[in-house]
Amino acid sequence: MEIKVVKQVMEWNEDVSQAVKDLLAQKQVCLVNVMGSPGAGKTNLIMGLIRALSPRYRVGVIEGDIAGQIDAETMQGMGVPCVQLQTQGACHIEAMSIQNILPLFSLDDLDVIFVENIGNLVCPAEFNIGEDFRVAVLSIPEGDDKVEKYPLMFATCDGLVLHKYDMLPYFDFDPQRVTDNAKGVNPNVRVFPVSSRTGEGMEPFVAWLTGKVEEKLGKA
Amino acid sequence: MEIKVVKQVMEWNEDVSQAVKDLLAQKQVCLVNVMGSPGAGKTNLIMGLIRALSPRYRVGVIEGDIAGQIDAETMQGMGVPCVQLQTQGACHIEAMSIQNILPLFSLDDLDVIFVENIGNLVCPAEFNIGEDFRVAVLSIPEGDDKVEKYPLMFATCDGLVLHKYDMLPYFDFDPQRVTDNAKGVNPNVRVFPVSSRTGEGMEPFVAWLTGKVEEKLGKA
């Protein structure tokens, strides 16, 4: 499948974010903003979600990267429509980019679009992109002090995945510390220990995510 | 009528960066900008460097974080002067912050200052802070595709540490891929596999870093 590449353009973000929301409400498509550090495992997590959701939903993907198209190439094997967004140096995706990309999809044939944001625990949290909800991915090797250091990311996410959870024995990481801190800045956040490698923890995460999608699609 | 001119942020940053450089040249202090993702192990690496360099040099540390003072607290046990810089949401350190912080140190009593930049592979690379040289830290769990995805960080560093190298057996990480890609964007970069936990690889890294410090201090 051909990889489409779109360059990021600057614009007023909140207005455009609302326009994206309006279009996706009309088209009945749920947009999920997936954020986390470089190497947190966002691509692998999204691939696991595509496998889990595909029987029920028609899924698309927007891969955000500063340069290159590695993740879109990885995604090619999944058989879902995928657009690679190149931000050309910018540290986050803006709503304008999503607005420019959406016409490249056949929205009538989609239920869910996952946006893999730039690997960055800071800037992406500041920019709404018209998403219905946000998933933050924090991997075990990164350490258990990240909520205290990067509070906005964890305060604004709906779901928090503690990823590469099978690596817990090898790292000094206290899941309770992260959970307590995340709930401290974001009382309603749901926390999911997940290993994309072993599949551990995927089921409750997928169940929660399906519930969120159903909320949007109004099929619950 | 007089034309008022306002400089763009980046240009303003360059002027202040030069002022920091001038002050540190006069005071004979070497400033090292340490950058990498959240959880790459920058703090542990700097602690290892302090232990290795302390017999020879008087070391200070600036800990950059968006919020909190976890790293400065960690650093307290090292017995070196340390200032915690809180960027209050900003994704990188600017030269102005370093200019404001330097008077808090007794510069006549220091040879080297390590700056631990915000955990972020993107934005810090765009801002000079008056540093003499840059160390990028990429940890094995982050994955071996990071040079391709975040080229500026690796194009502008002087030394690249492949950190948590003892974790290599547990992750799908090809050090040669990273080294080749880093040399591709930055032919003079020096690459050091290091484990702060086991001490593996610290010796050549410290030797290189000592050489860079000597260049600055003019004692070589």
Side-chain angles (χ1 to χ4, degrees), chain A residues 150-202:
Chain A
Y150 307 92
L152 186 65
M153 174 63 69
F154 300 95
T156 62
C157 67
D158 300 279
L160 167 58
V161 171
L162 304 182
H163 206 210
K164 306 187 189 181
Y165 206 75
D166 54 314
M167 287 292 150
L168 197 59
Y170 305 107
F171 290 89
D172 183 22
F173 186 104
D174 178 3
Q176 196 59 51
R177 174 180 178 184
V178 172
T179 303
D180 290 348
N181 285 329
K183 299 256 185 208
V185 294
N186 187 359
N188 296 321
V189 70
R190 291 288 305 275
V191 182
F192 301 96
V194 172
S195 166
S196 286
R197 189 157 72 165
T198 68
E200 182 193 357
M202 271 301 274

Side-chain angles (χ1 to χ4, degrees), chain A residues 21 24-25 28-32 53 56-57 111-112 131-134 158-159 188 190 192 205-220:
Chain A
K21 271 182 184 293
L24 293 177
Q28 283 283 287
V29 175
C30 184
L31 193 75
V32 187
L53 297 177
R56 185 163 183 175
Y57 301 115
D111 301 306
V112 182
E131 68 267 45
D132 291 284
F133 60 97
R134 293 179 168 196
D158 300 279
N188 296 321
R190 291 288 305 275
F192 301 96
F205 176 53
V206 168
W208 169 80
L209 201 136
T210 301
K212 299 288 285 180
V213 171
E214 287 299 306
E215 271 179 40
K216 168 66 181 283
L217 302 187
K219 296 173 187 166

Side-chain angles (χ1 to χ4, degrees), chain A residues 40-80:
Chain A
K42 296 180 291 300
T43 311
N44 280 331
L45 186 70
I46 291 172
M47 288 168 74
L49 288 173
I50 292 170
R51 278 187 287 270
L53 297 177
S54 282
R56 185 163 183 175
Y57 301 115
R58 299 161 297 173
V59 180
V61 178
I62 297 171
E63 287 292 343
D65 279 296
I66 289 170
Q69 54 184 55
I70 292 176
D71 289 342
E73 285 166 5
T74 305
M75 206 54 74
Q76 277 190 307
M78 301 301 295
V80 298

